[in-house]
Amino acid sequence: MAIITAKNTMEQLVEILAIPFMQRALLAGVVVALVCSLLGIFSVIKRMTFFGDAIGHASLAGIAFGVLVSVNPLIPAFVLAVILGLLIYEINRKFKIANDVILGFFFSFLMAVGVILINITPGYQPELMGFLFGNILTISQEALYLIVAVGAVIIILTEVYLGKLIAVSFDEVEAKLLGIPVDLLNRLLFVMLSAAVIISIKLVGITLVNGLLIIPAATAQLVSKSLKQLFILSPILAVIAVIVGLLSSYFLDIVSGPAIVVVLMLQWVLVLGLKQIFNRI
Amino acid sequence: MELLSIKNLTVDLGYPKPVIENISFSLKPHTISVVIGPNGCGKTVLFKTILGLFPYRGEIKFLDEPVEKNLSQIGYLAQRFSFDHSLPITAWETVRNSLANSSFKNWEKDELTQKVLNNVQSQNYQNQKLATLSGGQLQRILLARSLIRNPKLLILDEPETGIDTEGEYKLYESLKQMAVEKEVAIILSTHEIDVVYHFADQVICLNRELVCLGKPKEALTEEAFNRLYGHPVSLYGHHHGQKHHGAIG
């Protein structure tokens, strides 16, 4: 009986993997998982765990604007997120206002602008639900190209500047003494984080994107004995969570974003529980 | 020859009075200079100004050029180092990452890291997470980090923080040895007057203005202490039976 069930599951899995939209979703999911889990580590080091949430919610204004003027909503959302990322950094630098305060301000303001724009857009907007919580059906070939291209650029830049980004995130004064262009790399990090949020929207939605940024790093932190382990374990956990989440969303017919975030949270609970058990042994 | 030359330095951060007003001094290689003064006298601001973190009036020349041009030749140990204790960065990674902007090959970076960790006697805990280290161990790792680039100027803001008395003595002994062996000038701040008499080639008394400057035994007069702390300082010996041993601040 068990063998038959396993065979059926395998057959179903093969069937699912043959479906084009599922292939696109999985490929996009793996790229987004890698990007978010890597950049999430910097959010954690810089103690900016609110960043993804704020940029995600604020990008609603860009999405709503795109819907209003009938252009691909991800384009204005992308432009808005990048400008916002840079603006947050400049305000923090020039006026010495804490990042969380600035993020909280723009989070509310741009979310409000987004809702107003939705209000004045004529007709019902069914696609907005997908932007809020993710919808793998909306990952078109065009969207996949965008996600893979932006994701590849972010992963390459992160790999090339890894040591310098760690130095800048960990101790800016020391990084300055090392001759690292601190402002430039901070701006790069903020832009990459903003871009990562936008390419994740189709998968997990603006409301849940921060989970993909923060939870893998937080889970990996529980068991990592070094920064190197953290940078290896966090992407592995994120990729597993996205694949399991996407397949669950198909099997259980639920929205993809919440499914992925629930798996991420289960990973965290499981790792925390196992750590407690091993600590007692 | 002067490594660092400061002339008529004023640091005004927008408070009613400048934090540092019109001070001048210089540092020579192979010497240790110690900055003393009451809390809030401007010690940390002075160090951060040398590092280019605060705007200033006057002149700071390092290696005969404006200091901003040679920052990579400066090693710095901050008075307080705060980081997220849940971050699993190891002592080794902390030190090695200070070569992130160097052109060394990976194996060379590994060798340099090991060498500097051995020099500060930290090899026994080099693979531990930074968050699990004691205050003294952390100071040694941060010192190793500031030494790995072989700086010409070493700035240490209260380096004895978190270290026990024995460890403190060893730390200053190793700094003294470093100053003798290497072409380096060391400037540090402390509240331990003992350190000034035992290890300083030059004392810089700071209380917004320069109160005294010179060899400790000549510069630290009763009048200088009065101007520094606003009252005569009672100093109690705790070893060697000398009157000037003790902590001030």
Side-chain angles (χ1 to χ4, degrees):
Chain A
M1 187 67 182
I3 294 169
I4 295 168
T5 311
K7 196 181 167 192
N8 284 344
T9 310
M10 278 309 291
E11 280 171 3
Q12 270 186 312
L13 212 54
V14 171
E15 274 174 31
I16 292 167
L17 295 177
I19 303 168
F21 84 81
M22 222 31 215
Q23 289 172 347
R24 289 196 297 271
L26 283 166
L27 182 56
V30 169
V31 172
V32 163
L34 290 173
V35 167
C36 285
S37 57
L38 284 174
L39 294 182
I41 296 172
F42 294 106
S43 285
V44 171
I45 300 177
K46 286 181 87 72
R47 298 177 230 191
M48 289 174 26
T49 50
F50 192 41
F51 188 88
D53 222 11
I55 293 285
H57 282 77
S59 68
L60 183 68
I63 289 166
F65 179 75
V67 172
L68 181 67
V69 299
S70 301
V71 296
N72 183 345
L74 282 187
I75 294 167
F78 186 84
V79 173
L80 180 70
V82 169
I83 292 171
L84 189 56
L86 288 171
L87 198 61
I88 289 164
Y89 178 67
E90 295 304 329
I91 292 173
N92 169 266
R93 202 168 69 97
K94 289 200 175 136
F95 301 102
K96 305 290 175 209
I97 300 171
N99 275 330
D100 279 358
V101 176
I102 310 166
L103 286 168
F105 169 76
F106 281 112
F107 175 124
S108 314
F109 170 65
L110 288 170
M111 184 102 188
V113 171
V115 173
I116 291 167
L117 289 175
I118 291 167
N119 264 316
I120 61 173
T121 305
Y124 174 62
Q125 307 299 329
E127 61 186 315
L128 276 172
M129 192 68 176
F131 284 114
L132 288 176
F133 303 110
N135 184 355
I136 50 174
L137 289 171
T138 62
I139 301 177
S140 61
Q141 199 67 33
E142 186 192 45
L144 179 66
Y145 289 147
L146 177 78
I147 290 169
V148 172
V150 174
V153 170
I154 292 175
I155 290 169
I156 291 167
L157 285 172
T158 306
E159 173 61 26
V160 170
Y161 295 109
L162 185 62
K164 290 174 188 171
L165 286 169
I166 292 171
V168 167
S169 305
F170 187 61
D171 185 350
E172 283 194 9
V173 175
E174 176 70 8
K176 193 178 172 189
L177 293 181
L178 301 181
I180 293 172
V182 173
D183 283 334
L184 189 68
L185 279 171
N186 265 326
R187 287 187 190 111
L188 175 70
L189 188 60
F190 275 60
V191 168
M192 288 200 299
L193 272 164
S194 302
V197 168
I198 299 305
I199 63 169
S200 309
I201 285 177
K202 293 251 177 187
L203 197 72
V204 288
I206 60 170
T207 52
L208 301 173
V209 64
N210 209 38
L212 203 50
L213 270 171
I214 301 306
I215 302 175
T219 308
Q221 265 197 157
L222 293 172
V223 285
S224 295
K225 290 188 166 61
S226 66
L227 215 49
K228 188 179 177 183
Q229 283 185 10
L230 180 63
F231 273 94
I232 293 170
L233 198 54
S234 180
I236 291 174
L237 287 167
V239 168
I240 292 171
V242 165
I243 292 172
V244 173
L246 281 175
L247 293 176
S248 308
S249 89
Y250 180 86
F251 279 119
L252 304 172
D253 195 20
I254 52 175
V255 191
S256 59
I260 290 168
V261 172
V262 166
V263 177
L264 285 168
M265 199 60 203
L266 288 175
Q267 279 181 338
W268 183 78
V269 171
L270 185 70
V271 171
L272 186 66
L274 287 174
K275 193 184 172 189
Q276 295 298 316
I277 291 167
F278 280 113
N279 282 348
R280 280 181 196 168
I281 294 172
Chain B
M1 189 192 119
E2 291 169 349
L3 269 183
L4 181 82
S5 157
I6 290 181
K7 282 181 189 160
N8 307 320
L9 178 75
T10 295
V11 183
D12 191 344
L13 299 177
Y15 302 120
K17 283 183 174 178
V19 183
I20 292 172
E21 196 161 7
N22 198 29
I23 68 167
S24 302
F25 66 88
S26 62
L27 306 181
K28 291 177 180 165
H30 302 294
T31 61
I32 296 182
S33 300
V34 178
V35 184
I36 61 165
N39 287 330
C41 71
K43 296 187 288 277
T44 300
V45 170
L46 169 66
F47 292 161
K48 289 191 171 176
T49 306
I50 296 172
L51 297 172
L53 299 175
F54 290 129
Y56 63 90
R57 294 196 300 274
E59 182 185 275
I60 306 178
K61 279 200 164 182
F62 175 47
L63 299 171
D64 291 328
E65 288 185 295
V67 68
E68 295 81 6
K69 290 195 172 179
N70 290 307
L71 285 179
S72 62
Q73 300 277 346
I74 301 176
Y76 173 60
L77 179 67
Q79 190 184 121
R80 284 185 200 87
F81 181 70
S82 77
F83 65 100
D84 180 357
H85 279 230
S86 61
L87 191 71
I89 188 166
T90 64
W92 169 279
E93 288 172 329
T94 305
V95 176
R96 194 184 186 278
N97 204 244
S98 277
L99 296 171
N101 201 30
S102 73
S103 53
F104 290 118
K105 292 182 177 127
N106 279 337
W107 65 268
E108 290 173 316
K109 288 181 182 177
D110 289 343
E111 273 190 2
L112 277 169
T113 304
Q114 193 58 63
K115 194 177 160 192
V116 76
L117 282 166
N118 291 350
N119 284 347
V120 297
Q121 286 115 42
S122 299
Q123 62 272 39
N124 290 341
Y125 46 86
Q126 65 185 30
N127 294 322
Q128 280 187 37
K129 288 185 200 174
L130 210 56
T132 64
L133 302 183
S134 70
Q137 289 171 331
L138 179 64
Q139 282 298 83
R140 281 178 182 278
I141 294 303
L142 297 175
L143 182 64
R145 186 176 75 149
S146 58
L147 293 175
I148 197 164
R149 287 172 289 113
N150 239 341
K152 294 267 186 220
L153 173 64
L154 193 55
I155 300 175
L156 310 168
D157 199 351
E158 296 189 19
E160 72 269 7
T161 308
I163 304 182
D164 56 32
T165 313
E166 194 189 343
E168 187 187 322
Y169 192 78
K170 280 185 186 169
L171 171 72
Y172 286 114
E173 279 286 301
S174 58
L175 289 175
K176 188 78 186 172
Q177 194 184 341
M178 192 192 308
V180 170
E181 290 172 359
K182 294 188 175 181
E183 190 85 7
V184 62
I186 299 172
I187 182 168
L188 60 93
S189 63
T190 184
H191 287 289
E192 300 282 337
I193 197 73
D194 205 20
V195 169
V196 184
Y197 283 108
H198 269 88
F199 300 101
D201 298 297
Q202 174 176 253
V203 61
I204 299 161
C205 312
L206 189 65
N207 195 0
R208 199 167 63 85
E209 297 168 329
L210 197 62
V211 171
C212 74
L213 177 71
K215 289 181 180 171
K217 283 183 180 168
E218 294 164 10
L220 289 174
T221 59
E222 198 169 323
E223 191 206 339
F225 278 123
N226 254 324
R227 285 183 62 200
L228 267 183
Y229 300 103
H231 53 81
V233 174
S234 300
L235 300 166
Y236 301 99
H238 57 73
H239 54 92
H240 306 296
Q242 289 176 17
K243 195 185 171 189
H244 52 245
H245 290 172
I248 50 176

